[in-house]
Amino acid sequence: MPFVTTTESGVSIQGPTATLIYDDWYPALRTDQLRPGKLATAMLLDIPLVLGRRADGRVFAMRDSCPHRGIPLRYGWFDGNHVTCRYHGWEFEPCSGQCALIPSLSSHDHLDATRIYATAFPCEERDGHAWVFIPSAGTGRKAESADRRPVPELAKFGPRHRTAHLAADLPCNVDHGIIGLMDPAHGPFAHQAWWWRSRSSIREKPKRFEPIPEGFRMSAHAPSGNSAPYKLLGVYGQPIETTIDFVLPNRRTEIIRCGPKWFSSLTTVTPVTASTCRVDVIAAWNVFYYVPFVTPIAKFFGAKFVRQDQVTMIQQAEGLRHNPSLMLIDDADKPAKWYFALKQARLETTPGALSKHPMDGHVDLHWRS
Ligand code: FES
Ligand SMILES: [Fe+2]
C-alpha cells in the first residue's frame, strides 16, 4: 500500500516513481521495535515485510505473506521460534522461511512440509537498524551469502561515544530524496536558522571530488567556517577535517575529525515504495562526551534540520505530482548528475561485474552556499 501524504492544504500526493536498485541492503526498521514474541512490519521497495527477533536473539525478515494462500503472516502468532499462519496454522522457521509443520497433514499424506518455504530475506542487525537484503526478482530463494555486499556500518573511532538516530518519511521517490540530500545549494534557504547559517552568509566554496567505487567523495577539507556546529568543534583548537562520501544505492557518510575528537554519520534514503522514501540518520561522536544532555540537544537540533528537509520535500511533492520537467545545473547539481549516471551504470551492469564510473579523476566544483 503506497502511503499517500496529505499536505497542509489537504492535497493528497502520489508522485512519480523511481527505478529501484535490488541486490543490496536497506534499513527496514529500528531493532528496538522488535519485542520478544512480537511481530513488527515494514515496507521496503514495495515489499511488505514482517520482522521479529528469535528467542536466540537473531533478527529475521520475511515477506508478509503466507505461501499457502497469501494472508499476511503478521496476523498470525510468533512464539520466539516459529511464525504460525493464522489461517491454517502452517508453521515457519523465520530466518530460513522453511515450513516446519502443516497441521492438516494426516498419515495418508506424502507431502514433505519441510520442502515448502515462505520468502525469508537475509537480515542483520547493525547500529540499531535491521538491515534487509533485497535480491532482484528471480534470483532464487536466497542469493549466496558470499555474493552479497557487506552490511553497511557506521564508522566509529573508539568505544566511548554517544549515538543518535533520526528518521523522516518523505513523500517523494528515492531519487528526489537522494539528490535533495546531496544538494549543496538549498542550505541557506531551506535550513535558515540562527545556529546554522543564513542567506547573508552565502559565499563561494570550491570543493574537490574524487571517484570511489560506486560513488564519489568530497575530498577531505576544512568544513564551512560559516556554520555554528563546526565553529563549536573549533574549540579544540586543532585542524578539522571532513570527508563526505556518497555510495550507491543510497548512502551518505560524513566523518569529521579534529585531533582525537570525531563525529561520524551514516544517512540513508530508503525506497519504501517506488514513489516514497524514508531518510534515516544514524550518528556517533565523542565530541563533548562529558557534557550532560549532549545527546538530547544534538537530537533536538538534528531533528529540526531533518524536519526542514522534510517540509521542503512535502512542498516539492505537491509540484512533482504534476510531473513537471526539471533541470540540473552545473556546478551545484553536478553531484546529482553523477548519482544518476552511477545508478544507470549499476542498473546496466550484470551482477559481479564492475560498473563503469562517470568520473575519470578528481573534479573541482564551485558554488555559492
Ligand atoms: S494461508 Fe497460511 S496456512 Fe493457509
Ligand atoms: Fe537539507
Side-chain angles (χ1 to χ4, degrees), residues 180-181 183 186 190-191 305 309:
L181 182 77
D183 175 2
H186 77 290
H191 296 298
F305 200 79
D309 280 323

Side-chain angles (χ1 to χ4, degrees), residues 59-131:
V59 292
F60 63 84
M62 303 170 82
R63 181 183 275 274
D64 190 13
S65 175
C66 178
H68 182 213
R69 233 55 95 56
I71 194 170
L73 289 169
R74 68 174 179 276
Y75 295 124
W77 302 274
F78 174 51
D79 66 0
N81 295 304
H82 290 93
V83 170
T84 304
C85 179
R86 63 108 59 227
Y87 204 169
H88 311 96
W90 292 18
E91 285 183 15
F92 303 95
E93 192 294 302
C95 289
S96 63
Q98 188 175 32
C99 186
L101 178 74
I102 297 180
S104 65
L105 292 182
S106 73
S107 56
H108 298 274
D109 288 303
H110 299 291
L111 177 63
D112 178 4
T114 63
R115 296 182 61 177
I116 294 172
Y117 284 83
T119 305
F121 297 94
C123 183
E124 299 280 345
E125 187 172 15
R126 294 271 191 297
D127 300 309
H129 277 327
W131 293 91

